[in-house]
Amino acid sequence: MLVANRAEIASRVFRTCRRLGIETVAVHSDADSGLPYVREADVAVRLPGSSPADTYLRGDLLVDAALRSGADAVHPGYGFLSENAAFARAVEDAGLTWVGPTPESIEAMGSKIRAKEIMRAAGVPVLEAPPVPTEGDFPLLVKASAGGGGRGMRVVRSLEQLPWEIGLAEKEALSAFGDGTLLVEPYVERGRHVEVQVFGSTVLGERDCSIQRRHQKVVEEAPAPNLPDEVRSTLHEAARRAADAIDYRGAGTVEFLYDPGSARFWFLEMNTRLQVEHPVTELVHGVDLVAMQLGEGLDTPLVPRGGSTTEGRGHAIEVRLYAEDPAADHQPQSGVLTRFEIPEGEGIRVDAGYESGSTVSTFYDAMLAKVICHAPDRATAARKLADTLARARIHGVTTNRDQLVAVLRSEEFLAGEVSTGFLSEGLVTGLRPSSTSVEHGVAAAIALAEKAGAERTVQRGVPVGWRNVRSQPQRVEFTDGTVVEWWDRHPSVVAASPASVTLETDGVRTTYDVTINGDPGREWVDVDGPTGHARLTRKPRFTDPADALASGSLLAPMPGTVVSVAVEQGAAVTAGQPVLVLEAMKMQHTVAAPYDGVVTTIDVHRGQQVAAGEVLAVVEESA
């Protein structure tokens, strides 16, 4: 079995293959050569290059890899070419087994435009957008016709923005799916994203995937909370009709937009593949969807065609752990995961694509792992999952871990009050990651002092740091603005070492795990405690004048590739006007002018790779 994909989903398919005694073949780009899934496979085939267009989107290279490695079958995973009918046909034409639905089904649902026509004919309600929108028709949603996952998807709130957003969505769709075709539909504010898992025309319950950022799912659960029984049964029947309309075979998902206020729902799309969130269905219904796919591909179906198995056991919640910074509009992050440890226990499942020491590149999706909890009820699942995430140790790359914990512990989530606006519209309090606490700073400073003391040569009988005259307190400053006075009295230090610091405040003791990295004087410190994780970088005592930046410098918010430059040097710009566009992790990011002024410098060109913090351009503010 060759898995024509990467990272977490490749490891997931390999796990079932090993259980069934099937040998495995991995394919990998140059950027992915060190990831765990490559090592887990029996054999691995290199795809030269790193960009998706050069590697995982090259169907000819994938088929060639299968033939050269002696594979009998190809599993597409999700994303990339998983819903590409031409690739499915190429696999079958090469004499290989395609582990997925028929190319005809993929083709029917692969275009969201054609899919809506088929659903309309089958009596499934669909969202309709006007052919020529006017200002009164906004907000609208521009989305890629050939794929999902939030790529090529933009909310547009005015007629003036429409051309620009269509251009960005088209580029994203072309980069992610090799097809820039778009469609436009009404955008329903604060609706719920509810999807139904099917296998052929058999229904395996539904999932709620409403909590999203940038139209990409963050938290998924089964069954959907607060869903009236009559709506649930009607959704299941609509999904069954959708599958029957194209004589569907294998695992698929029919996605709907549900409006709780009116109890109405509309067809969004059908994913003719395995979903990222499939584990919650597996845990609730006690099935292995990958094994079922393999059985279907080998003509030994493991599930009867037709009917329903909606009765599940307990409740399952999945969160997607992303390499991104929620405090900076969820900007993707990259770098080396110096520590990546997620505790597993009863009811906890971790599907990870990375491990300690892995490099997170800028070429692919920002998802590092999925963490899933199955429990007898929803409240227990949320509580256990939040605790698991809080005890995880994730260093080197900023993630959304603390925000996920806040979501799972929020009153609104626990009450089942979820919607697609849960994160983006500020409807729920307490979801912004908190700033570094005093305790985090003190723990970091004390650990640095302990490390320095352990490494310092000491004269016999003279304590470390001893002075024979009174002086000012020592200060430790960090680049985020945190300042710790050496003689701070609160909190008090109970015990300390370079790896652990116990503090006491008002009689309450708390222990913080500390990891120190970097060279003396320029260390960064990872501090983990009950209130979350903080990464603090020690501020140098003396600043190199060469490090100073000109006023108005536009810096790269993350490593990426310059895909377009919208202005020329000397051009006058207004506040918010796009200056250039970066692409990182298959998403387009606009870098805009901070104020009215003149572009005095453009330091980059189209196609250039840039590092985080690199100066891209300089805008001189108007008088």
Side-chain angles (χ1 to χ4, degrees), residues 54 83 131 234 331 372-373 500 528 623:
D54 293 334
E83 294 178 281
T234 307
Q331 286 179 354
I372 313 102
C373 181
S500 178
D528 291 286

Side-chain angles (χ1 to χ4, degrees), residues 61-137:
L61 296 183
L62 296 169
V63 171
D64 179 67
L67 295 174
R68 286 194 290 124
S69 63
D72 305 297
V74 173
H75 190 296
Y78 39 68
F80 297 125
L81 296 177
S82 62
E83 294 178 281
N84 187 298
F87 178 55
R89 287 194 177 97
V91 169
E92 293 183 342
D93 290 345
L96 301 165
T97 297
W98 170 255
V99 182
T102 65
E104 291 74 24
S105 292
I106 298 174
E107 209 158 45
M109 292 291 107
S111 166
K112 292 183 176 65
I113 297 171
R114 185 181 172 196
K116 283 192 172 187
E117 294 173 353
I118 296 172
M119 292 302 103
R120 192 182 300 111
V124 178
V126 298
L127 279 172
E128 303 285 356
V132 182
T134 64
E135 202 67 57
D137 296 318

Side-chain angles (χ1 to χ4, degrees), residues 133-140 142 155-165:
T134 64
E135 202 67 57
D137 296 318
F138 289 84
L140 295 174
V142 177
V155 175
V156 187
R157 299 190 179 276
S158 71
L159 197 58
E160 182 184 16
Q161 294 177 339
L162 192 58
W164 173 260
E165 296 294 350

Side-chain angles (χ1 to χ4, degrees), residues 488-545:
D488 272 348
R489 295 184 179 180
H490 300 289
S492 59
V493 181
V494 177
S497 74
S500 178
V501 175
T502 300
L503 304 175
E504 184 175 298
T505 303
D506 296 330
V508 178
R509 294 187 180 187
T510 306
T511 299
Y512 293 84
D513 293 336
V514 183
T515 306
I516 301 173
N517 310 274
D519 300 323
R522 291 179 176 268
E523 299 98 333
W524 74 88
V525 186
D526 286 291
V527 183
D528 291 286
T531 57
H533 166 264
R535 178 176 178 175
L536 298 124
T537 301
R538 190 170 194 168
K539 187 176 181 179
R541 288 177 183 255
F542 304 101
T543 303
D544 189 338

